[in-house]
């Protein structure tokens, strides 16, 4: 019998498992798939050291009207899904009010500040340095207006939080990314982030590290979780497995599990797509580039070039739509020489979100032996490693190296 079952082997669950094991716990890591094959596989791969300001709900009326028209590529919604979104999105809007948002940023920033350094420890131990680039990433501007506004915001972030930026004019962009066929108004280069050229591979490498250090990975379904005596049991391929404690690290599927335990957490998702393309010999992109006025990101990966899309508000199980990924591909091909598509179908994933933009990390309010680690939204890859350390410290009675109070589930009634 293990001490702890960790349900969900995305970047968050695998990191929690490693850190618990390093503190003497015997850990069984359970997923219905191989580690790192869901959201943690398909993202843009950026460890966003600059991301101290989580993605807020727009407050300007013009921006709200633009989104409501549902015509752009960066954000789309399916009408049939809106009733289910009404309550969490209303709360999301409320939390995004400037004064409340300022407080959220202050609480969130310490997590982000430790994102790269905590990954560095695991990357090193896992021997995964070959898939990491340390040159940051860029926002590309087509208009002077957008460039100037973004530069001003980035300067404030840089001053306040000590984050590295470089402001590039059109010539500097052409020099830095000579294979981009666009006369840009400029680019903002966040210089501190690291980028992962195979995010799913990184999580798989972390899972191998966990196994090397004595951990067990098993296939099983979190929906079989049940109380047994004073602990918990889940069915894995070899039969029932039990432990005194359980960690829910189920990313966008966390709500199913927490609902079943009697919680009413206002969790919601933002879906997102990617598609990959063959590398064209001799054509390179040195950094991931966000074409911000269109709303897609182009990232060099080991396997090929990857386009990732913005948010789609839709049911997690609704069929794929292709508007965002197809539209993004058209624009991306105008500025960069992409090879042929590598897969017949685009990849679809879902960012696990909370209305106050902060993850939930800590003990389940009504169960002393259940722990939560989910809701990392746009920054789950970024925050996986730091979350793993913090939760393991809390579970084993150490004083967490950062204050976990702002991330407690109790902040949401029910
Ligand atoms: C298009 C896109 C781009 C993104 N880009 C970035 C980025 O550049 N940087 C960044 O930091 N973040 C990014 N993100 C967000 C990031 O990918 C997520 O926040 C993060 O992967 C969440 O990790 P997780 O471990 O919580 O969830 P997951 O990786 O989804 O892991 C949850 C695991 O639970 C398992 N599971 C679910 N249900 C069950 C069940 N019933 N039984 C057993 N197992 C189950 C799943 O198989 C899965 O392995 C992006 C997201 C998207 C969609």
């Amino acid at each position: 019998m293990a001490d702890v079952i960790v349900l969900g082997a995305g970047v968050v669950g695998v990191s929690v498992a490693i850190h618990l094991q390093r503190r003497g716990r015997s850990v069984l890591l359970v997923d219905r798939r191989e580690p790192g094959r869901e959201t943690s596989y398909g993202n843009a791969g950026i460890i966003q050291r600059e991301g101290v300001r989580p993605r807020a709900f727009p407050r300007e009326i013009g921006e709200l009207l633009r989104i409501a028209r549902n015509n752009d590529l960066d954000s789309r919604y399916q009408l049939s899904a809106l009733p289910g979104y009404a309550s969490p999105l209303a709360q999301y809007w409320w939390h995004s009010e400037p004064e409340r948002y300022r407080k959220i940023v202050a609480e969130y920033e310490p997590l982000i500040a430790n994102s790269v350094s905590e990954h560095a420890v695991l990357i090193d131990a896992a021997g995964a340095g070959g898939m990491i680039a340390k040159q940051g990433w860029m926002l590309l501007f087509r208009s002077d207006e957008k460039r100037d506004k973004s530069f001003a915001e980035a300067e404030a972030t840089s001053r306040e939080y000590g984050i590295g930026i470089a402001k590039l004019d059109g010539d500097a962009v052409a020099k830095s990314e000579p294979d981009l066929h666009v006369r840009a108004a400029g680019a903002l280069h966040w210089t501190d982030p690291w980028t992962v050229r195979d995010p799913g591979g990184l999580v798989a490498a972390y899972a191998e590290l966990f196994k090397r250090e004595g951990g067990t990975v098993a296939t099983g379904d979190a929906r079989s979780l049940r109380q047994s005596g004073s602990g918990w049991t889940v069915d894995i391929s070899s039969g029932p497995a039990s432990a005194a404690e359980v960690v829910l690290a189920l990313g966008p599927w966390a709500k199913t599990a927490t609902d079943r335990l009697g919680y009413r957490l206002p969790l919601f998702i933002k879906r997102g797509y990617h598609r990959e393309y063959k590398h064209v010999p001799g054509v390179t992109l040195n950094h991931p580039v966000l074409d911000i006025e269109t709303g897609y990101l182009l990232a060099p990966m080991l396997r090929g070039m990857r386009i990732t899309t913005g948010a789609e508000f839709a049911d997690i199980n609704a069929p794929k739509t292709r508007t965002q990924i197809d539209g993004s591909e058209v624009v991306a091909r105008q500025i960069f020489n992409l090879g042929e598509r590598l897969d017949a179908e685009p990849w679809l994933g879902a960012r696990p979100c909370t209305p106050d933009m902060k993850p939930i990390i800590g003990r389940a309010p009504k169960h002393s032996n259940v722990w939560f680690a989910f809701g990392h939204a746009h920054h789950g890859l970024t925050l996986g490693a730091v979350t793993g350390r913090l939760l393991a410290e809390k579970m084993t009675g150490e004083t967490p190296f950062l204050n976990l109070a702002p991330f407690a589930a109790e902040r949401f009634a029910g």
Side-chain angles (χ1 to χ4, degrees):
M1 184 169 139
D3 296 322
V4 186
I5 295 171
V6 176
L7 291 176
V11 66
V12 174
V14 175
S15 302
V16 170
I18 293 171
H19 278 286
L20 278 172
Q21 182 165 261
R22 287 183 165 193
R23 286 166 178 75
R25 295 294 190 269
S26 75
V27 181
L28 175 68
L29 176 62
V30 176
D31 200 296
R32 58 187 172 196
R33 302 189 64 183
E34 291 291 303
R37 297 309 294 174
E38 292 284 359
T39 333
S40 300
Y41 164 82
N43 55 67
I46 308 176
I47 301 175
Q48 292 194 251
R49 175 61 189 88
E50 89 297 344
V52 293
R53 302 182 200 278
R55 195 75 58 91
F57 196 95
R59 305 276 304 180
E60 307 92 41
I61 196 77
E63 184 63 1
L64 289 170
L65 288 173
R66 181 183 74 76
I67 292 169
R69 281 196 291 274
N70 211 18
N71 277 334
D72 291 324
L73 291 175
D74 61 335
S75 177
R76 305 282 290 196
Y77 59 86
Q78 292 182 12
L79 259 186
S80 58
L82 287 189
Y85 274 104
S87 170
L89 287 192
Q91 294 176 57
Y92 185 14
W93 182 83
W94 187 85
H95 284 290
S96 301
E97 181 274 330
E99 208 40 54
R100 291 183 196 109
Y101 181 68
R102 243 189 296 284
K103 183 163 175 279
I104 287 167
V105 172
E107 292 170 341
Y108 193 70
E109 187 271 340
L111 289 185
I112 291 286
N114 288 280
S115 57
V116 167
S117 50
E118 287 303 316
H119 266 296
V121 173
L122 300 187
I123 288 166
D124 189 42
M131 56 180 91
I132 308 296
K134 301 182 180 174
Q135 283 88 38
W137 66 286
M138 287 186 185
L139 280 77
L140 184 78
F141 306 112
R142 312 293 189 107
S143 72
D144 295 357
E145 191 195 352
K146 183 74 185 167
R147 178 199 59 204
D148 295 344
K149 186 164 180 272
S150 296
F151 278 0
E153 289 165 359
E155 275 165 2
T157 301
S158 172
R159 250 195 329 273
E160 208 168 332
Y161 300 107
I163 291 166
I165 58 170
K167 295 179 290 175
L168 310 189
D169 62 16
D171 288 341
V173 175
K175 203 161 161 215
S176 177
E177 293 292 357
D179 290 332
L180 273 185
H181 307 136
V182 63
R183 182 62 204 168
L188 174 69
H189 182 183
W190 295 109
T191 54
D192 296 338
W194 288 8
T195 61
V196 186
R197 303 227 155 160
D198 178 4
L202 182 69
V203 179
Y206 285 2
E208 284 306 313
L209 169 69
F210 168 67
K211 286 196 261 182
R212 257 197 326 274
E213 293 183 350
T216 307
V217 179
T219 307
D221 191 334
R223 287 171 297 187
S224 65
L225 181 69
R226 56 199 181 270
Q227 229 150 354
S228 55
S230 59
W232 294 89
T233 295
V234 71
D235 293 331
I236 58 172
S237 51
S238 57
S242 301
E245 297 185 282
V246 64
V247 177
L248 303 183
L250 294 163
W253 293 276
K255 190 163 170 51
T256 313
T258 54
D259 280 358
R260 286 187 59 230
L261 290 173
Y263 296 94
R264 293 292 168 265
L265 298 171
L267 305 173
F268 65 102
I269 54 152
K270 296 183 191 175
R271 303 204 315 178
Y273 297 83
H274 88 221
R275 191 179 265 152
E276 290 185 321
Y277 306 85
K278 263 193 185 158
H279 286 298
V280 175
V283 177
T284 33
L285 194 67
N286 297 313
H287 314 83
V289 170
L290 175 62
D291 191 351
I292 190 158
E293 278 141 292
T294 308
Y296 68 90
L297 189 132
L298 189 56
M301 294 287 169
L302 293 178
R303 180 171 182 248
M305 293 298 301
R306 178 180 288 188
I307 292 177
T308 59
T309 66
E312 183 186 45
F313 295 88
D315 188 88
I316 194 164
N317 296 315
K320 291 174 188 172
T321 58
R322 288 180 175 59
T323 318
Q324 284 170 297
I325 191 70
D326 287 353
S328 299
E329 180 181 327
V330 169
V331 181
R333 284 195 185 281
Q334 290 162 4
I335 66 167
F336 192 78
N337 191 357
L338 292 172
E340 64 194 61
R341 293 179 185 174
L342 285 171
D343 303 294
E345 282 288 312
W347 173 88
L348 169 63
R351 303 167 181 91
C353 301
T354 65
D356 64 2
M357 295 155 271
K358 295 180 297 183
I360 297 178
I361 308 169
R363 195 192 292 271
K366 295 186 272 196
H367 299 83
S368 61
N369 54 2
V370 177
W371 300 84
F372 292 163
F374 47 76
H376 296 76
H378 293 260
H379 289 153
L381 177 69
T382 302
L383 297 178
V386 67
T387 298
R389 175 172 167 194
L390 287 167
L391 188 67
E393 288 175 340
K394 180 80 184 166
M395 288 177 68
T396 56
E398 289 173 40
T399 303
F401 82 108
L402 300 174
N403 177 20
L404 271 179
F407 310 106
E410 281 83 355
R411 69 191 194 268
F412 298 116

